[in-house]
């Protein structure tokens, strides 16, 4: 362009006008050149929302533009949500660390103390659900970078920092799961360390370094706590510094400050809502010596858990445990070398999008599958998070805790009595929950696995209000004793609280068909000899049927209770029915009144004796068949004669005949120490 110069011979006004026109032409030319340069610039990739400078680099003959952070509203919003979740997890973690005792003996108690307080429970729930939200947001952030194509160079450092954030969050979860030291934490960590030992070359060394001994103990808790509270947070601070820089660049997008504040507020509300709806769980105290089949990993590890269940042990399981995760991590790491940001259309945009969606769908399917299996496990009783334990399971757990506390009132309590007290407290709360009416189809479907409510139902399936009220009273008494033992400081208070727990257990066992010893000091059953004074006056004539011990009219409408499937429980019920019949006849005096009527006790006794001839196969080695069959025949005959018994000595003679039939069978096996005749001593 030839620039027009002003005419020097022109007058001043004319010359000034020419200068202004020349300046305007230069400005218009500059703007036209700028617009032309913008139009000729190669556009940014449609799948990589990048901020491109005007400078280009020549790399291998390809024009590559300098790339900063993807300045998109999605990146900015996810970064703000991640920082908010990180702040909540870090803040609640500091509060929990102030009250945590990193030893195997006190870790569970310290977490339990925090769990029982309102502030501690809130901190645990925020920390627990904040970590879950953090895992979710980390995955969303990585998926967004894949979807937008920002894994490519020269944006690879942002991509690698996102992968490092995901790895760090998973390590936080793996090291933090052991710290509560409950059953799921101890057994789950034991299983994971076993898998770690199977890794070739360095697996056993890593397991020994983390375990710090032959089994999970104080050294293990201390090392996991150091990793969770010191090492990983230090690495997180280094990563957070770079991530904060990336987030500030992302906030240069079109998103307003109000939008960022709204996202942060929604993240905080989400964590608080999840914490209130699903608080941080705390099960029974961890003990590897106690079987625990309900150990499950965290929700984000369920896909790998299900995959390992399907793969056969050996090489295939090793491939799924080591090769598959490491291969996926290596593939994600080398993605920046597969493609660059350039003027050419992205080659891997749609293949990676489809692959990421397929992998996500596969992980969701593998994660949901074990949940469905747990719901249907154990004939509908459930497992894992959905386990509904019956009364036998809960009572076995109670028995182990009571045995650990000691039986005799002269025996001292163990040092970890407070831990067992808290377990009894939790078990008492579980025992109270199933007091409800069970549908008839559910009772018929699982006859061999009685639900707790079966112990509080009448034979027709209706809820027995009297039994339910007594049950609640005993459970409340046991829970109150456990609370006192948990808070007791002196030895005298601990002994007193233990006696309260023992008394509640004894009262319950006396009223139900349970005769397991709770207290080694036997309860006395006194035989009462009644002396009837004969009066000289003439008694009115009484019809013979009025002297019968059993009222035939009262049998109408009654139905025998369901016969237990377990032989030992069946024998205990027969014994209880006999004792209650003796109580009704005023031949025995016990601490608690009978819970059955006379006719109901006889029906239950008769129903329990019916399957005796067919269960001999369980006792072939200890009971000879001829003696067993003879005892069963004598029992059946004695029951039929007992039904016709009259009040007084006739009933006593007939029930003693029934007792002799029982003792004849018991004498065939030295391991059976109960004798019917002992009731009258």
């Amino acid at each position: 362009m030839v620039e027009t110069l002003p005419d020097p011979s022109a007058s001043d006004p004319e010359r000034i006008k020419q200068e202004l026109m020349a300046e305007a032409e230069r400005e218009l030319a500059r703007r036209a050149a700028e617009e032309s340069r913008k139009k000729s610039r190669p556009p940014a990739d449609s799948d990589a929302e990048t901020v491109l400078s005007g400078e280009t680099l020549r790399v291998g003959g390809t024009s590559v533009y300098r790339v900063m952070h993807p300045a998109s509203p999605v990146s900015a919003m996810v970064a703000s949500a991640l920082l908010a979740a990180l702040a909540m997890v870090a803040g609640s973690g500091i509060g929990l660390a102030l009250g945590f005792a990193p030893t195997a003996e006190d870790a569970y108690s310290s977490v339990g103390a925090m769990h029982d307080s309102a502030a501690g429970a809130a901190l645990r729930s925020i920390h627990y659900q904040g970590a879950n939200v953090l895992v979710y947001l980390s995955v969303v952030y990585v998926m967004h970078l894949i979807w937008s194509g920002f894994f490519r160079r020269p944006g690879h450092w942002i991509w690698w920092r996102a992968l490092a954030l995901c790895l760090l969050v998973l390590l936080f979860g793996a090291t933090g799961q052991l710290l509560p030291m409950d059953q799921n934490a101890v057994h789950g960590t034991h299983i994971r360390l076993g898998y770690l030992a199977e890794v070739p070359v360095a697996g056993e060394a890593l397991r020994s370094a983390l375990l710090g001994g032959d089994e999970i103990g104080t050294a293990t808790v201390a090392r996991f706590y150091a990793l969770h509270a010191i090492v990983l947070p230090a690495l997180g601070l280094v990563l957070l510094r770079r991530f904060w820089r990336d987030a500030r660049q992302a906030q240069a997008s079109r998103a307003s400050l109000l939008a960022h504040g709204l996202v942060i507020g929604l993240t905080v509300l989400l964590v608080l809502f999840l914490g209130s709806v699903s608080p941080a769980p705390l099960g029974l105290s961890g003990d590897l010596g106690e079987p625990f089949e309900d150990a499950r990993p965290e929700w984000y590890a369920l896909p790998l858990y299900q995959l390992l269940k399907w793969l056969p042990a050996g090489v295939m399981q090793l491939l799924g445990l080591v090769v598959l995760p490491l291969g996926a991590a290596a593939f994600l790491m080398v993605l920046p070398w597969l493609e660059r940001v350039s003027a050419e259309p992205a080659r891997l945009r749609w293949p990676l999008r489809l692959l990421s969606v397929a992998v996500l769908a596969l992980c969701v399917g593998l994660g949901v599958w074990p949940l469905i299996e747990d719901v249907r496990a154990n004939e509908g009783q459930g497992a894992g998070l959905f386990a509904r334990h019956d009364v036998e399971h809960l009572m076995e757990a109670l028995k182990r805790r009571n045995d650990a506390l000691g039986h005799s009132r002269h025996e001292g309590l163990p040092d970890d009595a407070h831990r067992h007290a808290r377990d009894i407290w939790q078990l008492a709360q579980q025992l109270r929950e199933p007091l409800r009416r069970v549908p008839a189809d559910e009772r018929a479907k699982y006859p061999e696995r009685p639900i707790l409510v079966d112990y509080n139902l009448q034979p027709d399936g209706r809820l027995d209000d009297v039994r339910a009220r007594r049950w609640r009273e005993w459970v409340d008494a046991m829970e109150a004793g456990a609370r006192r033992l948990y808070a007791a400081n002196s030895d005298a208070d601990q002994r007193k609280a233990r006696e309260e727990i023992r008394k509640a257990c004894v009262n319950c066992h006396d009223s139900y068909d349970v005769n397991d010893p709770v207290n080694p000091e036997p309860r006395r059953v006194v035989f009462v000899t009644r002396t009837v004074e004969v009066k000289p006056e003439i008694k009115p004539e009484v019809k013979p049927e009025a002297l019968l011990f059993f009222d035939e009219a009262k049998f109408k409408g009654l139905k025998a209770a369901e016969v237990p499937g377990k032989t030992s429980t069946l024998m205990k019920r027969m014994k209880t029915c006999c004792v209650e019949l003796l109580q009704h006849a005023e031949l025995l005096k016990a601490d608690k009144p009978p819970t059955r009527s006379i006719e109901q006790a006889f029906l239950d006794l008769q129903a329990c004796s019916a399957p005796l001839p067919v269960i001999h196969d369980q006792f072939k080695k200890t009971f000879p068949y001829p003696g067993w069959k003879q005892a069963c025949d004598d029992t059946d005959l004695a029951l039929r004669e007992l039904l016709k018994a009259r009040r007084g000595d006739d009933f006593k003679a007939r029930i003693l005949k029934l007792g002799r039939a029982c003792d004849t069978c018991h004498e065939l096996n030295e391991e059976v120490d109960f004798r019917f005749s002992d009731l009258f001593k």
Side-chain angles (χ1 to χ4, degrees), residues 534-562:
V534 180
K535 298 183 179 181
E537 61 268 15
I538 300 175
K539 296 182 179 180
E541 183 179 358
V542 182
K543 296 182 179 180
E545 56 269 16
L547 298 176
L548 294 176
F549 186 78
F550 298 100
D551 189 349
E552 185 177 355
K554 293 183 179 180
F555 279 105
K556 296 180 180 179
L558 292 181
K559 183 180 178 182
E562 187 177 347

Side-chain angles (χ1 to χ4, degrees), residues 632-650:
C632 292
D633 294 341
D634 294 344
T635 301
D636 182 65
L637 178 62
L639 282 173
R640 284 189 274 113
E641 293 181 355
L642 182 63
L643 183 61
K644 303 175 183 178
R646 300 178 183 275
R647 298 180 181 275
D649 294 338
D650 183 55

Side-chain angles (χ1 to χ4, degrees), residues 383-666:
L385 297 175
F386 306 97
R388 295 183 300 165
H389 299 301
D390 54 24
V391 66
E392 295 181 1
H393 178 91
L394 297 175
M395 289 301 177
E396 288 176 1
L398 271 176
K399 185 177 185 300
R400 281 190 288 267
R401 272 71 184 177
N402 281 324
D403 291 342
L405 289 177
H407 292 281
S408 175
R409 61 173 55 94
H410 305 293
E411 182 181 355
L413 279 83
D415 295 334
D416 57 349
H418 54 282
R419 180 168 62 89
H420 299 298
R422 196 181 192 287
D423 287 350
I424 296 175
W425 179 1
Q426 287 194 56
L427 291 170
Q429 293 176 345
Q430 296 181 40
L431 286 172
R432 185 186 293 107
E433 293 176 359
L435 283 179
R436 59 180 177 83
R437 182 172 179 176
V438 177
D441 56 346
E442 185 175 348
R443 290 168 54 83
K445 187 176 181 181
Y446 310 112
E448 301 300 328
R449 296 179 60 83
I451 304 176
L452 177 59
V453 72
D454 289 346
Y455 288 79
N456 299 284
L457 289 181
Q458 297 178 0
D460 58 359
R462 293 180 300 171
L463 186 64
D464 191 331
D465 294 335
V466 176
R467 283 191 171 189
R469 185 176 65 254
R470 290 180 180 177
W471 180 270
R472 291 190 181 95
E473 291 175 355
W474 296 323
V475 171
D476 290 341
M478 180 171 58
E479 182 179 353
R483 286 175 178 267
R484 292 190 183 94
L485 179 58
Y486 182 69
N489 294 322
S490 63
D491 183 69
D493 292 340
Q494 288 184 342
R495 292 173 184 267
K496 184 178 179 181
R498 181 178 61 180
E499 290 303 316
E500 293 180 9
I501 298 174
R502 191 77 67 243
K503 183 178 179 181
C505 295
V506 169
N507 291 339
C508 177
H509 284 211
D510 283 345
S511 297
Y512 289 92
D513 300 332
V514 182
N515 293 288
D516 289 339
V518 178
N519 195 317
E521 299 179 3
R523 300 181 299 279
R524 297 182 179 180
V525 182
V526 182
F527 171 66
V528 180
T529 304
R530 301 181 63 213
T531 303
V532 180
E533 181 181 357
V534 180
K535 298 183 179 181
E537 61 268 15
I538 300 175
K539 296 182 179 180
E541 183 179 358
V542 182
K543 296 182 179 180
E545 56 269 16
L547 298 176
L548 294 176
F549 186 78
F550 298 100
D551 189 349
E552 185 177 355
K554 293 183 179 180
F555 279 105
K556 296 180 180 179
L558 292 181
K559 183 180 178 182
E562 187 177 347
V563 178
K566 193 175 181 181
T567 304
S568 59
T569 307
L570 182 142
M571 295 295 181
K572 292 173 184 176
R573 179 171 294 185
M574 292 184 65
K575 175 185 174 182
T576 303
C577 291
C578 291
V579 171
E580 291 189 356
L581 287 175
L582 292 173
Q583 287 181 267
H584 283 296
E586 298 184 1
L587 297 176
L588 288 180
K589 181 183 294 184
D591 297 335
K592 294 293 180 181
T595 59
R596 298 176 178 83
S597 65
I598 300 175
E599 290 74 18
Q600 185 65 55
F602 180 82
L603 284 179
D604 292 350
L605 178 61
Q606 190 178 43
C608 290
S609 64
L612 290 180
V614 298
I615 62 175
H616 176 260
D617 292 341
Q618 303 179 24
F619 308 98
K620 287 182 178 179
K621 297 182 180 179
T622 54
F623 289 95
Y625 181 73
W628 178 278
K629 185 177 184 304
Q630 183 62 42
C632 292
D633 294 341
D634 294 344
T635 301
D636 182 65
L637 178 62
L639 282 173
R640 284 189 274 113
E641 293 181 355
L642 182 63
L643 183 61
K644 303 175 183 178
R646 300 178 183 275
R647 298 180 181 275
D649 294 338
D650 183 55
F651 174 81
K652 179 180 178 181
R654 295 184 186 231
I655 199 169
L656 285 176
K657 182 178 180 180
L658 174 64
R660 285 193 295 271
C662 296
D663 290 346
T664 301
C665 180
H666 292 176

Side-chain angles (χ1 to χ4, degrees), residues 117-307:
S117 65
L123 284 177
R124 290 195 70 237
S125 299
I126 292 174
H127 195 73
Y128 175 74
Q129 295 296 350
N132 290 332
V133 172
L134 193 58
V135 173
Y136 171 75
L137 291 176
S138 301
V139 175
V140 169
Y141 187 59
V142 171
M143 290 291 294
H144 168 66
L145 294 181
I146 292 178
W147 195 265
S148 64
F150 205 76
F151 57 87
R152 296 173 296 167
R153 288 185 293 171
H156 52 283
W157 282 108
I158 297 174
W159 168 251
W160 287 340
R161 282 193 287 271
L163 295 181
L165 177 64
C166 282
L167 178 61
L168 198 65
V169 169
L170 295 179
L171 290 177
F172 268 115
T175 55
Q177 189 180 17
L178 174 66
L179 301 184
M181 286 296 287
D182 59 358
Q183 284 284 60
N184 189 65
V186 173
H187 285 265
T189 303
H190 178 72
I191 294 172
R192 283 189 291 273
L193 290 177
Y195 281 135
L196 182 62
E198 297 179 5
V199 177
V201 184
E204 187 61 38
L206 288 175
R207 178 182 179 275
S208 300
L210 291 174
L211 197 58
D214 297 332
E215 59 183 12
I216 295 177
T218 298
T220 314
V221 177
R223 296 181 185 196
F224 273 70
Y225 180 68
L227 290 173
H228 188 77
I230 300 176
V231 178
L232 293 180
L235 297 176
L237 288 176
V238 176
L239 181 63
L240 185 61
R241 179 177 177 272
R242 303 298 305 177
F243 186 77
W244 175 260
R245 180 180 177 183
D246 296 340
R248 290 186 62 185
Q249 291 181 2
Q251 290 171 0
S253 65
R254 296 183 298 272
S256 63
L257 184 61
L258 178 61
H260 287 287
L262 181 61
V263 169
I264 292 174
L266 290 176
T267 304
V268 173
L269 290 178
L270 176 62
V271 173
L272 295 178
F273 172 75
L274 293 176
S276 61
V277 173
S278 178
L282 184 64
L284 302 178
S285 58
D287 183 8
L288 290 176
E290 181 178 352
F292 185 73
E293 299 177 354
D294 297 327
R296 297 293 184 273
E298 297 292 342
W299 61 270
Y300 46 82
L302 286 176
L304 183 60
Y305 165 77
Q306 183 62 31
L307 185 63

